[in-house]
Amino acid sequence: MSIRHVMASLWLVAALMVGVAHAAPTKSVIAHGVELEVPAGWVPTSKGTMTLLGPKGSKARAIQVVALPAMPAATADAIGKLLGEAVVLEKVAELERDGVKAIVGTGKVSRAGGPALDLDMLVVPTATGAALIASYIKGDQDPVLREANAQILRSVHDTQPRVKVTAAAPKTAGVHGAPPDFIIAMKTKLAPGLDKMFRFPRPLTITFEECGTVNAFYDPKAHAVRLCHEIFDDTVKRFTADGRSSAEAVKKMRGTLVFVFFHELSHALVGELGLPITGRGEDAADELATLLLSKFEVGKTAALDAAELWNMRAQSATMANLKYWDDHSLAGQRVITIMCLLYGAEKARYQTIMKKLGVDANRLAKCSRDYLLREKAWMTMLAPHLRKPRAANP
């Protein structure tokens, strides 16, 4: 089981998500250190330090992206000098946007022989300075373009990677932790893949560290997914204790930890993107992780490995050690949550496993319905946060 193989299929997952959720026809354009989502028919035109974005064949103003050497002062005079004498700014303010200072403003642009144009303006910092985005489409007679104005300005963010991976080697003797190639694949494949797939509003860190406990969790205050080295060792021990060879136990561990990561990533998506979840958060994370992984072969294997681990825990559980107060469902229930979604996606493949688990016909029928309903719900919530295909850099 390899993170590299998982990430190779993430673009397919993204495409399937967009298709399920029926996202609006838009595309991403990168210009002068910022990325914007614009209507699919728009094209960029480069003019040195300025890029124009608008409908193909149109000569009217739409969006201007201007490269600046640094963030200007948040005053009407400073911004007015950048935009030119024809602009009269009515409002300029500084605010925090995605964790950084940005400048917003509104105003009018006078035109000889015609009515003034409405202007919405945004200035954001970039890796090399700043970018000024001026939108002239708010006052357009076309209601689709008027709505696009707000959507485009909301979509603007710098192009620096949002997802990063850090790793600290275990210090305690006997703790082996995450395999080095697993960490490398996270850094070189998974982090860039997630950046290409999702539009995170702020940096998200994936950490490998020794925690002093067997765990993996999403830390909302630090905006981080933490993978403890101890959980890698513990998972190998559990499969070995169940009679697996060392090689097989390590293989099962890799698959299980892929699922565990996607479970914690699901928590992070809910927290970072502000998704409106009702019900138990742990059940929701198991659902989303399974839905994402069910889209490709290696992901299905990872979900099966995790279900096998929790089934082992369920078999060894006693009434005395069941924790009904835990925010996680019982191990046996987590097995059914995963397997029910896998069965709903591919009945024939998992029919034998569901029979061994003792799932009756009524629940199997619900599994098929639940898969479609839950997929639609999750993909509808995620669609606004998915990156669209990018246009060529101007």
Side-chain angles (χ1 to χ4, degrees):
M1 177 60 60
S2 166
I3 287 287
R4 176 174 58 82
H5 294 127
V6 172
M7 293 314 302
S9 300
L10 269 186
W11 269 115
L12 171 61
V13 177
L16 289 169
M17 284 175 160
V18 173
V20 170
H22 304 292
T26 63
K27 66 182 178 184
S28 293
V29 174
I30 294 176
H32 308 299
V34 295
E35 183 175 7
L36 313 84
E37 284 194 30
V38 298
W42 285 26
V43 294
T45 303
S46 179
K47 294 183 177 292
T49 59
M50 178 177 68
T51 295
L52 302 179
L53 299 169
K56 188 174 183 179
S58 173
K59 296 182 180 179
R61 295 194 191 197
I63 302 288
Q64 292 179 345
V65 184
V66 183
L68 303 177
M71 285 290 288
T75 65
D77 285 344
I79 302 300
K81 290 179 181 178
L82 296 173
L83 292 170
E85 296 180 356
V87 175
V88 177
L89 289 169
E90 299 166 345
K91 180 181 178 182
V92 174
E94 187 177 57
L95 50 76
E96 187 172 290
R97 190 174 186 272
D98 295 346
V100 298
K101 297 294 184 181
I103 302 171
V104 295
T106 57
K108 298 283 187 180
V109 181
S110 60
R111 293 190 302 168
L117 294 174
D118 288 299
L119 166 69
D120 279 322
M121 180 275 304
L122 171 68
V123 184
V124 295
T126 65
T128 57
L132 184 151
I133 299 90
S135 170
Y136 301 92
I137 63 176
K138 182 178 179 180
D140 198 282
Q141 293 182 354
D142 185 343
V144 175
L145 279 183
R146 288 201 301 270
E147 177 59 25
N149 178 75
Q151 292 177 351
I152 292 169
L153 293 178
R154 281 196 299 266
S155 76
V156 175
H157 66 81
D158 67 80
T159 57
Q160 298 179 68
R162 285 289 197 265
V163 184
K164 66 177 182 178
V165 178
T166 65
K171 296 181 179 180
T172 302
V175 176
H176 301 289
D181 65 318
F182 195 98
I183 297 173
I184 291 172
M186 279 274 191
K187 289 181 177 180
T188 60
K189 298 293 182 180
L190 186 134
L194 291 176
D195 261 321
K196 290 178 181 178
M197 185 175 181
F198 294 105
R199 297 172 57 83
F200 289 98
R202 63 188 65 82
L204 177 71
T205 304
I206 302 165
T207 70
F208 292 85
E209 58 190 284
E210 189 175 351
C211 306
T213 185
V214 177
N215 204 0
F217 58 98
Y218 162 60
D219 184 345
K221 291 184 179 180
H223 305 290
V225 171
R226 303 191 183 281
L227 299 173
C228 302
H229 285 302
E230 292 88 342
I231 196 172
F232 290 83
D233 293 355
D234 182 76
T235 304
V236 172
K237 290 177 182 178
R238 288 178 181 272
F239 280 112
T240 301
D242 194 52
R244 302 302 178 112
S245 67
S246 296
E248 185 68 12
V250 170
K251 182 179 179 181
K252 291 284 185 181
M253 173 273 287
R254 287 175 175 270
T256 300
L257 265 295
V258 168
F259 183 91
V260 168
F261 170 75
F262 272 78
H263 172 96
E264 301 306 332
L265 174 65
S266 298
H267 282 305
L269 290 172
V270 170
E272 300 299 308
L273 305 180
L275 303 182
I277 303 303
T278 62
R280 293 164 64 97
E282 296 297 337
D283 291 343
D286 278 348
E287 285 180 6
L288 181 53
T290 306
L291 287 170
L292 290 171
L293 292 169
S294 71
K295 301 299 182 184
F296 47 97
E297 196 63 32
V298 178
K300 295 173 188 176
T301 301
L304 281 174
D305 288 339
E308 184 177 342
L309 176 65
W310 280 304
N311 193 48
M312 288 158 43
R313 292 182 178 181
Q315 297 301 318
S316 63
T318 65
M319 292 297 294
N321 63 21
L322 291 179
K323 298 177 181 178
Y324 295 105
W325 45 263
D326 199 323
D327 53 352
H328 294 84
S329 292
L330 300 178
Q333 292 174 309
R334 297 186 74 179
V335 172
I336 297 302
T337 294
I338 295 170
M339 294 308 308
C340 189
L341 290 172
L342 290 177
Y343 175 86
E346 200 171 349
K347 297 179 187 179
R349 180 171 184 168
Y350 300 105
Q351 196 163 22
T352 300
I353 297 177
M354 298 301 273
K355 186 176 181 179
K356 288 181 179 179
L357 291 171
V359 182
D360 65 20
N362 287 334
R363 181 60 195 275
L364 290 177
K366 289 181 180 178
C367 289
S368 297
R369 295 195 297 270
D370 281 352
Y371 178 82
L372 296 175
L373 291 172
R374 294 179 191 280
E375 182 183 54
K376 180 180 180 181
W378 277 108
M379 302 322 170
T380 299
M381 288 190 290
L382 287 170
H385 307 285
L386 292 172
R387 292 190 184 279
K388 307 303 186 298
R390 288 180 178 176
N393 290 346

